[in-house]
Amino acid sequence: MRIVGVRRQCADYGVEVAALADDGADVTVIAPLADFWADPAGYLSRPPAGPTLDAASVEQVPPVLPDARVFCVGLNYSEHAAEGTFRDQELPPYPTLFARWTRSLTVDGAEVPVPSNEDGLDWEGEVVAWVGAPLVDASPEEALASVIGYAAFNDLTSRRAQKLTSQWILGKNGDRSGPLGPMVPASEVGDLGRGLRLRTRVNGVTVQDARTDQMIYPVGDTLALISHTLTLRPGDLLATGTPAGVGYARKPPQLLQPGDTVEVEVERLGMVRNTVVGNQHRSAEVASAHRPSFDAVAAQLGPRH
């Protein structure tokens, strides 16, 4: 099963969670967004009960609550750490964590603009883990058991902005810079620690090729660490970090330019493919037409028709 967010043309429905057909031709509605994340395990344990709609008749959006937290792990593969900050240094005992805002997320097929003060965008193929149950002071085993699903993810990065300060948030939150693939239930994926192949391609050329069992900080350990400081809730996301092969570390450096196509493919999770466009696509008119708007999602938290 592949889980996506959809918005029908009728605004009364708001954002809904749906199952995407294997051929991508249609979607079957599961529940309104807020209802789904109130009981994700329950909804995934039974067949979708909503209507089946032509995929072309709806807008696909990330199935993400507007108040969800998006935690990201930096330097979670040893060879990638050696590409940059921790070359010839001992790795720290705890992961580097930074945050994305939900507004930076988008979906497969979306166009991603290069900001005006960047020479291009850098790719970072990753896996996202979705939290499906509340976590407070959890053990790694409890935290891993709470994961409801996984998705392919591209943590597209504005490197110049990232390096302006010691904090990475600016470079990690460009418009539509977080393409997120459909969520696949954890029961269909298994343990990332056993290794899923992750590949990133730019214009058809493989630039990253690794396995998830090469992670330094496993999903359960990282979620458990976070849960000892703040409560994790259903719908929160953890982007698990990228392997070696990013563009800025290449000799010479290589960054994504307008017209380039970038794909992140993860075994059992599928692929997220996006095209890079110029900064002019950040204009308000074009952005409103192409960027998933989370303003309407808030309506899901109030009365519904």
Side-chain angles (χ1 to χ4, degrees):
M1 183 183 293
R2 295 185 294 162
I3 307 300
V4 297
V6 298
R7 185 184 291 115
R8 305 192 210 186
Q9 293 180 355
C10 176
D12 288 347
Y13 287 99
V15 172
E16 298 169 295
V17 176
L20 180 66
D22 290 342
D23 62 4
D26 55 53
V27 294
T28 302
V29 174
I30 297 174
L33 182 69
D35 291 357
F36 177 85
W37 285 113
D39 183 22
Y43 279 108
L44 292 180
S45 69
R46 52 187 182 266
T52 296
L53 309 170
D54 186 339
S57 71
V58 298
E59 177 190 5
Q60 286 195 32
V61 299
V64 177
L65 290 166
D67 61 350
R69 278 79 56 87
V70 186
F71 299 94
C72 303
V73 182
L75 307 174
N76 199 13
Y77 290 76
S78 57
E79 291 185 5
H80 175 54
E83 288 181 312
T85 308
F86 289 98
R87 183 183 293 112
D88 300 323
Q89 295 185 40
E90 184 177 351
L91 294 171
Y94 300 104
T96 297
L97 296 172
F98 60 93
R100 271 187 175 271
W101 292 293
T102 57
R103 282 185 177 272
S104 72
L105 302 179
T106 190
V107 294
D108 175 57
E111 296 178 331
V112 183
V114 178
S116 59
N117 58 352
E118 297 287 337
D119 295 327
L121 292 173
D122 207 347
W123 56 84
E124 293 196 8
E126 305 192 14
V127 173
V128 157
W130 299 72
V131 176
L135 291 177
V136 180
D137 295 338
S139 69
E141 294 76 20
E142 292 168 334
L144 183 60
S146 81
V147 174
I148 197 70
Y150 298 95
F153 180 65
N154 198 344
D155 183 27
L156 290 167
T157 303
S158 299
R159 291 294 183 202
R160 180 180 181 278
Q162 181 189 11
K163 296 177 181 298
L164 288 176
T165 71
S166 62
Q167 301 297 314
W168 295 355
I169 290 178
L170 182 60
K172 296 289 188 174
N173 279 280
D175 293 348
R176 306 195 295 280
S177 64
L180 186 65
M183 184 182 80
V184 178
S187 60
E188 299 179 18
V189 177
D191 184 1
L192 295 187
R194 295 179 182 175
L196 299 181
R197 190 177 184 185
L198 184 160
R199 287 173 289 179
T200 304
R201 292 182 290 268
V202 175
N203 300 327
V205 177
T206 299
V207 291
Q208 291 181 297
D209 192 345
R211 298 186 65 84
T212 58
D213 56 0
Q214 298 168 339
M215 288 183 187
I216 302 167
Y217 311 103
V219 170
D221 294 54
T222 303
L223 290 175
L225 173 68
I226 296 170
S227 79
H228 280 73
T229 299
L230 56 91
T231 301
L232 287 165
R233 303 189 183 280
D236 288 342
L237 302 92
L238 177 71
T240 57
T242 197
V246 295
Y248 85 92
R250 293 173 174 264
K251 300 184 186 306
Q254 178 185 351
L255 297 174
L256 297 165
Q257 303 299 319
D260 286 344
T261 297
V262 58
E263 301 168 333
V264 176
E265 183 174 14
V266 183
E267 184 181 0
R268 302 186 195 173
L269 301 182
M271 183 167 62
V272 57
R273 177 193 290 113
N274 299 88
T275 300
V276 176
V277 295
N279 181 64
Q280 68 273 17
H281 286 254
R282 293 179 61 218
S283 67
E285 180 180 358
V286 175
S288 65
H290 292 276
R291 181 182 63 199
S293 172
F294 284 85
D295 295 338
V297 176
Q300 287 296 125
L301 304 179
R304 290 185 299 275
H305 296 283

